[in-house]
Structure formats: structure tokens, C-alpha cells
Amino acid sequence: MLNSSEKAYYLALQALRFKHYDKALNYFHAAAGHFQDNREFQILYETTRLLVAVKEEIAAAGNSEATAEPEEVLIDGAQIDFS
Amino acid sequence: MSRTETLKSLEIVLESFLERAVRLREDRIRVLDGINRLDDIARGFRGAENAARPDLTDRIGHWFAEHQGWLDDPKLRPAERNRIQQMLGEIGTTIESSGDTTPAVQKIASEIDRWRRPAATAPSAETAPGTGRKIILRRSPESAEPAKSEEPEADSITLFFDALRKVTNRFRDSIRSSKHLMSVLDDNLKAAQLQRNPDALLLSAVIIYHLKQRGYLVEPFVKRLKEAEQLQKETASRA
């Protein structure tokens, strides 16, 4: 029988195939203990971890840009008409 | 380049790396998929009541039908072959102990036996069937100079065919994460611009022409395509 770490590694690869990076990272976390000396595993794991972190940063930057815009046009709760 | 642009560029590089790494392992992933499914079936047999067994018998029947090529497949590693034989052994034991003698179960049992026979009894990939003689493949020594084609047109056809193949593979990878052709185009224009990827540039051009023929407004994409092309030309001239 396959152990749970082997199954998790396989599922991580499948998730990468379909570009479900969050899911892949969760599976990699689950398999990490069993494959800590496997170089190929470590490269894929660390790259996925970095990619998910980068995506989170991009999303956070996008959100801060989206929330910054209304602050410029709202003074004392009233919207200024610049036209 | 702003911080967000740097992050987006890094995102494309990392995604591209993972895409290629996974593509290189397609064969292994396919093997793992088969082993994983067999493992699920073996677990099912171990825990199932008799009433649930016909469904499992069907599933393993499908598994055998789908993977019969594996019996002689040299891509299968010895460890993987052992794993499969071990799982089939467990399924076989469960079937025997259940006392079920329906024709379907007997067929499965004989198929399990066939799979568990030692590989040595099957004809080796290096041996010509029926002759017992080994086939040895030879090739001429490698030369430093690439062989010149006698027909120059054949080279351009090969190059174009290679380019089409690369672009098709790239498109196949792109549509896994995108639901619409516009998103595929946008991703590839980004890759053409930020990564200076020539395949992405060609794929973008093909998509734009396809959209144009169908009456889409493509001017903004043409502008981005030209910018990406210019960047790639500049990078190539600096190299």
C-alpha cells in the first residue's frame, strides 16, 4: 500500500499539473517529513512555496491599490466631483 | 520596474519553471496515477463488505484494461512493478478468502496471476520475439559539425514544424489554468514581454490573428505584441 506521504506527493504533482498551487502546497506540507532528503521534492516544494507567497504579495498589493483610490476622493464622507 | 511588476515577473518565472518541471515528469505522474488508483482499489477490497465487491471487481477490471500495456513497459521502474505486484497480491488474497467464485471474480484472479508472473518469462524488450536474438541499435559517431541538409527547404519545414509543436504544447499548458482564449492571450503576451519567450510571442500572434478573423477588436493586443517583439529584438541584439 502507498503511505499517506506518498499519496500526498502524488496529489501535489497532480495539483501542480492543473496549476492549483495552494492545493499543491498543502499536499507538499503533508508529504514533507517523508521526503526531506529527496532533492527533486525539495525543489518543487520550495518553488511552490515561493510562488504562493509571491501570489499573496501581488494580491495584497492589488487590494491596497483598490482601497487607496476611494480615500483620495472622499473628504468628510462626501464624494468630490472633479469634473 | 515597480515592486508589483517585479513580483509579477517573478510569478511568471516560477510558474514557467513548475510547468516545465511537471511536463518533464508527465510519464512518471501517469504511472503514479495508475499506482494510486490501484492502491485505492486495494484499500477498498480490504475494507469492503461482500455487497460492495462487484463494484470493486468492475473497477479493477477497468484498471487492467487501461494498463495492460504496463506488463511490457520498460518505463515502469522495478520498484513500481514491485509495488503493483504487492497490491495485486493483497487484492488476490482478499478475493480468495472471500470464497467468491463468480466468473467475474475468477477472471480477475487469473488476470492477477498473469500480472504477478516474474517479468523474466515475458519477452525482453531487447530480444526479438520468437528468435531469442538480441537487437543492437547502432548510430554513427557524433560530429562537431551539424550535418548539412541536402535540401534547404526541408530545414525550414522542420524548424516550422518544431515551432508549431512547441506552440501547441504551450497552448495546451495555458488552457489548464484559463477558461477563455483572451486570458490565454493575456498570459502569453505577459510571458512574451517579461520573460522574452519567443514561443509565447508566436502563440500570441496566432491567437490574435484567429480573434481578428472572428471580428474581435484586437488593436490593444497588437500593440502589446509589437512591444514584446521589439523587446525581444533588443534582447537578442544585446546577446
Side-chain angles (χ1 to χ4, degrees):
Chain A
M1 296 282 174
L2 295 178
N3 65 41
S4 58
S5 301
E6 288 171 319
K7 268 192 183 275
Y9 188 12
Y10 155 72
L11 291 169
L13 289 172
Q14 280 288 33
L16 282 186
R17 222 170 145 204
F18 295 103
K19 300 190 176 184
H20 298 154
Y21 299 111
D22 282 333
K23 229 188 237 182
L25 187 58
N26 286 336
Y27 287 126
F28 276 131
H29 280 318
H34 188 78
F35 291 98
Q36 51 191 347
D37 297 325
N38 183 322
R39 247 181 106 210
E40 184 182 304
F41 175 91
Q42 290 300 333
I43 289 170
L44 293 175
Y45 181 22
E46 292 304 332
T47 310
T48 308
R49 200 208 301 249
L50 183 56
L51 177 59
V52 170
V54 167
K55 280 181 181 291
E56 282 169 2
E57 280 291 311
I58 292 171
N63 284 341
S64 67
E65 276 168 24
T67 51
E69 200 179 350
E71 282 170 20
E72 287 176 20
V73 294
L74 290 172
I75 297 170
D76 295 334
Q79 191 164 348
I80 308 274
D81 186 4
F82 288 103
S83 57
Chain B
M1 201 185 255
S2 75
R3 185 168 174 271
T4 312
E5 281 171 340
T6 310
L7 285 169
K8 282 188 175 164
S9 174
L10 179 58
E11 179 191 29
I12 287 172
V13 171
L14 293 170
E15 277 197 28
S16 166
F17 172 80
L18 286 172
E19 243 176 71
R20 283 161 200 236
V22 169
R23 205 183 304 146
L24 282 173
R25 286 159 186 77
E26 283 281 344
D27 281 344
R28 296 258 62 77
I29 296 175
R30 213 168 293 135
V31 169
L32 285 174
D33 182 54
I35 295 177
N36 185 55
R37 279 173 49 206
L38 183 61
D39 185 65
D40 287 343
I41 296 169
R43 283 170 198 271
F45 265 105
R46 202 165 53 171
E49 299 294 322
N50 278 345
R53 293 243 163 88
D55 174 49
L56 289 164
T57 310
D58 277 355
R59 280 175 65 193
I60 191 149
H62 287 137
W63 191 92
F64 280 134
E66 200 178 317
H67 298 95
Q68 57 178 332
W70 279 13
L71 273 170
D72 305 315
D73 193 345
K75 278 186 206 143
L76 219 58
R77 294 172 177 167
E80 291 161 350
R81 207 174 281 278
N82 287 342
R83 268 284 167 74
I84 291 169
Q85 289 181 343
Q86 196 188 336
M87 288 171 195
L88 289 175
E90 284 172 32
I91 294 171
T93 311
T94 315
I95 286 176
E96 268 175 36
S97 62
S98 73
D100 190 343
T101 54
T102 55
V105 168
Q106 281 178 339
K107 178 98 182 24
I108 295 298
S110 72
E111 195 64 11
I112 288 174
D113 281 346
R114 196 166 75 88
W115 276 70
R116 296 195 70 206
R117 255 174 248 151
T121 58
S124 154
E126 291 178 336
T127 309
T131 63
R133 274 184 283 171
K134 270 191 173 181
I135 297 169
I136 298 166
L137 298 174
R138 293 184 193 280
R139 62 170 185 175
S140 54
E142 287 179 9
S143 66
E145 291 270 319
K148 283 183 185 149
S149 168
E150 287 174 12
E151 290 171 299
E153 285 86 11
D155 261 349
S156 63
I157 287 172
T158 311
L159 286 173
F160 182 66
F161 190 60
D162 279 351
L164 271 185
R165 199 158 34 84
K166 278 195 210 164
V167 164
T168 307
N169 286 340
R170 186 170 180 89
F171 181 68
R172 202 173 287 140
D173 288 339
S174 301
I175 56 174
R176 280 184 190 149
S177 59
S178 302
K179 293 255 187 283
H180 196 278
L181 193 57
M182 291 289 192
S183 320
V184 176
L185 175 57
D186 184 53
D187 286 349
N188 278 282
L189 281 169
K190 277 183 198 156
Q193 196 162 21
L194 297 167
Q195 282 178 269
R196 318 282 197 264
N197 186 317
D199 299 333
L201 187 74
L202 182 56
L203 177 56
S204 304
V206 172
I207 296 174
I208 288 172
Y209 190 63
H210 171 85
L211 291 173
K212 189 180 174 218
Q213 282 183 318
R214 275 149 190 79
Y216 283 80
L217 188 70
V218 293
E219 277 70 24
F221 296 116
V222 173
K223 195 175 164 226
R224 285 174 62 192
L225 183 81
K226 284 183 177 165
E227 283 168 5
E229 190 185 23
Q230 187 58 33
L231 281 169
Q232 292 197 7
K233 272 187 191 160
E234 283 168 15
T235 310
S237 65
R238 275 200 298 269

